Amino acid sequence: MSGPLCDLVVLDLSRALAGPHAAMMLGDMGARVIKVENPRGGDDTRGWGPPFVGPEDARESTYFLSCNRNKESVLLDLKSDEGRRTLARLVRRSDVLVENFRTGVLDRLGFPMEELHRLNPRLVVLSITGFGHDGPQGGRPGYDQIAQGEAGLMSLTGPGPDEPTRIGVPVGDVLAGMYGAYGVLAALHERERTGAGRVVRTSLLAAIVGVHAFQGTNYTVAGQVGRAQGNLHPSLQPYGSYRCRNAVIQVAVGGERLWESFAPLVGLAADDPRFAVNADRVAHRDELTDVINAAFADRSVDELLAELAEAGVPAGEVRTLDRVYEWDQTHSQGLLLDLVHSKLGPMRIPGPAVRLDGGGRRRHEAPPALGEHTHAVLDWLDAEDAREQHAHARRGPGTAAVSV
């Protein structure tokens, strides 16, 4: 193992996306991530498709592949006595446990938070729920699109206020995973001082509210309720999407100096009284948009991007995903991994969004096949138990062994 978290073991009891994404982020930084899956099909996302890839006897969903790199898969039936005994052994050997069960499920399995910390006082537990573990709707099941709606994100997204729109990726799940991993690292840092683990909690609701940004303070401070306005910014203009001859182009005029550079490119005087300062441009947004679209209509995206770059105006085109993954800039940032899957063979998947100069994980592993590492992990537990028993025998009777 390599990477800054290479001395940590993460026990991933989660499924679907929020928890697995958090555990994957820790694995990307070098942690050993042991993913526990049920013997009746494993993680739910193994069945989320199409698309599926691979031969008929080894089909994998691309959804599962998106959030489970750098993990080992172990099959455990947590409703059986043997499965619960093995889980207890894994808890004793882990630094972090990630779970996104509905509130109360771990308790019914015999592993409430008090028992987890009795087994391992140093354990950091990440618990992710849909709407929070307590409160009037604590324990309510959460799925990303429902949370996007309940947490206000869909009301801010789409062509207009009457067409609330889901963001095209499960952003609530991914954000909850990111916030969860952030909380875990804080708890691990605290553990260095206290010697004790703690429970870190987040939810899809919390994660989405946490990224409301200016839309949140627009309401809490100014009493203004934001609504969907398409691809044009509600407080800054010109800032948004415009059509040119062969593409959709985006422009971000983030200040008056940029406006002075941009205005001549669309045939306007910077001091035109309709658009002289940002507040004027926001007030006359529709009129300004018509001017820009008319000025861009006969120019190609490459021509426009060159002109805007020369003028120092931030701009870019709207790319489809195939063009993103074929883009040399994407490749230059290490955002794609070439891996070998045990069943599917060579594959290319998106990689971590964070790079550490000279200190990152040197080798990444493909997402695991179902139960691929069960025997290896059980052998590791046996070896760790034997090592501990040997150390206890050397210390002599009456000396307590310390769980790692």
Side-chain angles (χ1 to χ4, degrees), residues 5 68 99 122 134 165 236 251 307 335 347-348 362 396:
L5 303 183
N68 287 287
E99 64 92 9
R122 290 175 54 82
D134 54 9
T165 302
L236 187 63
V251 174
E307 289 183 33
L335 295 174
M347 65 166 50
R348 173 170 286 177
R362 288 191 295 272

Side-chain angles (χ1 to χ4, degrees), residues 178-224:
M178 294 170 67
Y179 275 118
Y182 158 70
V184 163
L185 294 179
L188 288 168
H189 181 73
E190 179 189 54
R191 191 180 72 173
E192 293 299 305
R193 297 194 312 272
T194 66
R198 69 159 67 235
V199 180
V200 176
R201 299 189 187 275
T202 191
S203 66
L204 275 65
L205 170 64
I208 294 174
V209 171
V211 295
H212 281 171
F214 70 91
Q215 295 282 17
T217 49
N218 281 358
Y219 175 71
T220 62
V221 178
Q224 295 183 7

Side-chain angles (χ1 to χ4, degrees), residues 15 62 80 83 88 91 100 135 147 212 222 292 300 310 317 372 379 381-382 385 387 389 394 400 402:
R15 69 268 187 244
T62 57
S80 71
V91 168
N100 60 354
H212 281 171
I292 295 171
S300 72
E310 185 176 358
E317 65 175 297
E372 179 180 349
D379 288 345
L381 285 174
D382 290 341
D385 289 348
R387 181 182 64 82
Q389 290 167 8
R394 292 184 64 184
V402 177

Side-chain angles (χ1 to χ4, degrees), residues 55-362:
E56 288 299 326
D57 60 345
R59 303 288 272 170
E60 292 281 3
S61 86
T62 57
Y63 203 116
F64 177 85
L65 298 176
S66 74
C67 52
N68 287 287
R69 63 178 177 262
N70 294 321
K71 298 183 184 182
E72 302 168 60
S73 172
V74 174
L75 292 181
L76 282 186
D77 182 358
L78 298 183
K79 295 182 179 179
S80 71
D81 292 340
E82 181 181 359
R84 287 191 291 268
R85 283 194 296 270
T86 302
L87 179 59
R89 294 173 71 194
L90 285 166
V91 168
R92 291 189 186 100
R93 301 293 173 196
S94 298
D95 296 281
V96 178
L97 182 149
V98 179
E99 64 92 9
N100 60 354
F101 294 113
R102 287 184 63 178
T103 301
V105 170
L106 269 182
D107 296 36
R108 293 193 293 273
L109 290 172
F111 293 92
M113 296 302 171
E114 296 79 10
E115 174 63 10
L116 293 173
H117 281 132
R118 186 194 69 78
L119 290 167
N120 184 351
R122 290 175 54 82
L123 185 70
V124 171
V125 180
L126 170 58
S127 180
I128 302 177
T129 54
F131 295 90
H133 75 288
D134 54 9
Q137 297 193 32
R140 177 182 171 187
Y143 283 85
D144 179 84
Q145 184 161 339
I146 294 173
Q148 285 195 37
E150 290 274 31
L153 196 57
M154 288 176 64
S155 76
L156 301 172
T157 308
D162 296 326
E163 298 180 67
T165 302
R166 172 183 69 89
I167 290 179
V169 296
V171 66
D173 279 321
V174 172
L175 287 168
M178 294 170 67
Y179 275 118
Y182 158 70
V184 163
L185 294 179
L188 288 168
H189 181 73
E190 179 189 54
R191 191 180 72 173
E192 293 299 305
R193 297 194 312 272
T194 66
R198 69 159 67 235
V199 180
V200 176
R201 299 189 187 275
T202 191
S203 66
L204 275 65
L205 170 64
I208 294 174
V209 171
V211 295
H212 281 171
F214 70 91
Q215 295 282 17
T217 49
N218 281 358
Y219 175 71
T220 62
V221 178
Q224 295 183 7
V225 178
R227 300 301 299 272
Q229 299 185 20
N231 291 327
L232 297 177
H233 200 287
S235 303
L236 187 63
Q237 283 299 316
Y239 190 116
S241 299
Y242 306 92
R243 293 200 169 274
C244 61
R245 190 179 72 223
N246 60 343
V248 175
I249 191 170
Q250 305 210 84
V251 174
V253 176
E256 299 308 325
R257 289 186 179 179
L258 284 175
W259 169 247
E260 291 170 5
S261 299
F262 177 79
L265 300 180
V266 293
L268 290 171
D271 59 356
D272 185 310
R274 297 169 296 172
F275 312 125
V277 297
N278 182 66
D280 296 330
R281 296 191 292 274
V282 171
H284 297 91
R285 186 184 66 176
D286 292 343
E287 186 178 357
L288 178 58
T289 299
D290 289 343
V291 170
I292 295 171
N293 281 329
F296 285 180
D298 294 329
R299 292 142 89 179
S300 72
V301 64
D302 291 338
E303 175 188 354
L304 270 173
L305 288 176
E307 289 183 33
L308 291 163
E310 185 176 358
V313 177
E317 65 175 297
V318 176
R319 294 174 180 264
T320 55
L321 287 187
D322 55 335
R323 297 194 63 235
V324 174
Y325 289 124
E326 293 165 4
W327 193 14
D328 55 2
Q329 186 63 22
T330 302
H331 287 258
S332 77
Q333 299 306 298
L335 295 174
L336 291 166
L337 298 176
D338 290 306
L339 306 174
V340 178
H341 189 276
S342 62
K343 303 278 186 170
L344 305 177
M347 65 166 50
R348 173 170 286 177
I349 64 174
V354 174
R355 293 191 296 175
L356 301 177
D357 287 352
R361 183 171 184 143
R362 288 191 295 272

Side-chain angles (χ1 to χ4, degrees), residues 33-68:
V33 180
I34 299 171
K35 181 179 181 69
V36 172
E37 301 191 70
N38 73 72
R40 297 169 297 280
D43 190 314
D44 297 343
T45 60
R46 288 189 183 273
W48 287 7
F52 296 96
V53 292
E56 288 299 326
D57 60 345
R59 303 288 272 170
E60 292 281 3
S61 86
T62 57
Y63 203 116
F64 177 85
L65 298 176
S66 74
C67 52
N68 287 287

